[in-house]
Amino acid sequence: MSKLIESAEWKAVKQHHQQIAGKFCMKDAFDKDKHRFDNFSVTFNDLLFDYSKNLITEETLPLLIQLAERAKLKEKTEAMFSGSIINTTEKRAVLHTALRNRSNTPVYFRGEDVMPEINAVLSRMRVFTEQVRSGAWTGYTGKAITDIVNIGIGGSDLGPKMVDTALTPYGKEGLKAHFVSNVDQTDIVETLAPLNPETTLFLISSKTFTTQETMTNARSARNWFLKTARDPGHMAKHFIAISTNEEKVKEFGIDPRNMYEFWDWVGGRYSLWSVIGMSVALYIGMDNFEELLMGAHLADQHFRTAPYQQNIPVIMGLLGIWYNNFFEAETYAILPYAQSLKYFADYFQQGDMESNGKSATVNGDKVDYNTGPIIWGQPGTNGQHAFFQLIHQGTKLIPGDFLAAAQSQYDLPDHHDILISNFLAQAEALMRGKTEAEVRNDLSHEPNLDDALIASKIFEGNKPSNAFLFKKLTPRTLGMLIAFYEHKIFVQGVIWNINSFDQMGVELGKVLARAILPQLKNEDVIDDHDSSTNGLINAYKRLRKA
Ligand code: F6P
């Protein structure tokens, strides 16, 4: 057994779980303790984090905190913030927090302060975004830019897409941001169809500048542009590269003056805060982009300094461990009651699953406990009409987070209170449930009451959820929220003793695809894989010409 499972701290949580599971009733706990909400909620700036609707007693968090202390969370947090090589397999520091270090205090990596180079790129971003937004930067025919197309995938796509969507009310009128990620040509063909090459700016966003999907899309974008512009010299006004790989950028034909750099100590799924956020800065302006950074910076300071009992990302992480490892919950739902956050769960699907979907520890041992949960979700109220049935009455325990803003960005009558009443009601219903006695009471007027009907209307309740309620979805609040989730992932990775910052699990498929691609280029019958892969390749070759 692993040291983690054998530790006194783990055993103490396990014993506590045995006392609680199947016995603790949240509804009774609320009835007994009128201060449960006060005791189990934290306010931070304009944001309230309520974790009182969880299967926890006063004892739970202190026991979980001991797990965090056993894992040396404090020391490891400092190691991350101060540029230690905590991504040990790739021998890299993990310094996305430096990108949003608005205090500008020095952050040293290999003895050198990284803040001056971060600030230099931010300044270049400001100059460029202001030129584009003001119309001073024009396309090759002298027209202002109206459309930005970010070409990237994974961390070079999901973050900017999520944030641009979330902050639409802050976006510049007359400027639209588009995102192309899938190598399926449908994505780029349909995105470019309505656009004018004279007024379109491409951001080729790729840390490595070798990612197959991104480079294929980038080449198609170049062809599309040159079909009209003809002269490759015109690309200088329409193609921007965002990367760590200068050589590959030049090789592609992008003017090095149009290259914006970041560094290998920025992980792909944590790169939103770097110049990967260029489409965000172009769309909402540099002041707002810096507000986003500021929100994340405030969350960083909170994570670094708040006592664990009051520390939002630590509590989020520990509650996640509580359900994942002790209640054996397999998934975790992210449920924003905010249409603007429609890509928030998608973003953290990569953020969490690529970070913590690991089964080897940092020492190379195979884990004997569950690691990262399956992350999923979509905005309410749509989710209510799709999958909430299963959360309420299915056989699986699905903890999750509700997120909502007290103020909408718009002012139509009725909508917002209806939205918020649904969020509050769902969280309440999950917690309270509905007993057989309540069902019988409701149906007392029915002449022919059958047991099946009664059973179908019973809600077990006792289903846990957290709630984030914030004043308004501003750039600053969004920055805070994102950073809280990032640190939650970190906390869990530390307790599971895994490296949350590599992603070796995406490699094997890439290698095999490289071997298969040439086999698709001819009409030979393929027989060197397993019979299923051979069968599928050969069927594809037949069907594509049928
Ligand atoms: O999915 C694997 C991955 O390496 C992610 O971690 C990364 O965000 C994405 O591919 C894109 O990589 P790049 O920015 O190098 O194109």
Side-chain angles (χ1 to χ4, degrees), residues 306-322:
Y308 287 169
Q309 285 272 9
Q310 298 293 317
N311 194 311
I312 295 173
V314 171
I315 298 170
M316 291 167 76
L318 293 177
L319 289 173
I321 300 253
W322 178 232

Side-chain angles (χ1 to χ4, degrees), residues 47-194:
L47 181 149
L48 166 71
F49 174 59
D50 171 23
Y51 63 100
S52 59
K53 292 197 194 78
N54 275 294
L55 299 167
I56 55 170
T57 68
E58 297 282 350
E59 278 174 83
T60 315
L61 202 53
L63 287 168
L64 289 164
I65 287 174
Q66 285 180 19
L67 265 187
E69 281 164 355
R70 176 199 169 273
K72 303 207 179 331
L73 178 60
K74 191 104 219 128
E75 292 83 338
K76 292 190 175 163
T77 302
E78 284 315 301
M80 174 171 73
F81 276 89
S82 56
S84 298
I85 307 289
I86 62 166
N87 176 356
T88 43
T89 50
E90 297 180 307
K91 305 210 171 15
R92 287 179 185 163
V94 174
L95 274 177
H96 50 280
T97 51
L99 299 167
R100 57 210 193 198
N101 172 21
R102 306 306 291 161
S103 68
N104 212 15
T105 47
V107 176
Y108 293 100
F109 172 60
R110 299 212 162 106
E112 258 194 55
D113 182 9
V114 296
M115 291 314 297
E117 31 180 5
I118 291 173
N119 291 331
V121 174
L122 285 172
S123 302
R124 281 188 70 208
M125 275 175 88
R126 180 171 285 279
V127 172
F128 176 65
T129 55
E130 282 174 2
Q131 282 177 341
V132 174
R133 287 166 62 84
S134 68
W137 178 287
T138 58
Y140 72 100
T141 55
K143 294 184 184 157
I145 299 297
T146 56
D147 295 272
I148 306 153
V149 180
N150 185 80
I151 297 183
I153 198 163
S156 300
D157 163 71
L158 291 163
K161 178 166 141 182
M162 184 271 282
V163 172
D164 271 348
T165 308
L167 299 178
T168 300
Y170 298 83
K172 185 173 167 55
E173 231 178 277
L175 197 58
K176 262 185 138 184
H178 310 262
F179 294 86
V180 171
S181 53
N182 202 327
V183 75
D184 181 340
Q185 58 195 297
T186 310
D187 201 3
I188 192 157
V189 169
E190 292 182 0
T191 303
L192 297 186

Side-chain angles (χ1 to χ4, degrees), residues 8-23:
E9 293 83 355
W10 186 275
K11 284 181 182 157
V13 179
K14 195 162 180 187
Q15 196 183 3
H16 176 61
H17 170 255
Q18 279 158 3
Q19 287 159 1
I20 287 209
K23 294 166 211 128

Side-chain angles (χ1 to χ4, degrees), residues 150-167 178-182 187 205-206 214 268-273 276-277 279-280 292 340-354 478 482 486:
N150 185 80
I151 297 183
I153 198 163
S156 300
D157 163 71
L158 291 163
K161 178 166 141 182
M162 184 271 282
V163 172
D164 271 348
T165 308
L167 299 178
H178 310 262
F179 294 86
V180 171
S181 53
N182 202 327
D187 201 3
S205 299
S206 174
T214 300
R269 56 195 172 274
Y270 299 91
S271 61
L272 161 69
W273 318 101
I276 285 288
S279 74
V280 177
L292 183 83
S340 316
L341 291 176
K342 68 177 174 185
Y343 296 124
F344 198 74
D346 293 6
Y347 178 60
F348 280 109
Q349 208 163 51
Q350 185 202 17
D352 204 323
M353 293 171 78
E354 199 165 90
L478 183 60
I482 299 170
E486 285 179 353

Side-chain angles (χ1 to χ4, degrees), residues 260 328 380 434 472 505 511:
Y260 291 81
E328 306 283 333
K434 192 165 185 180
K472 198 170 183 172
V511 172

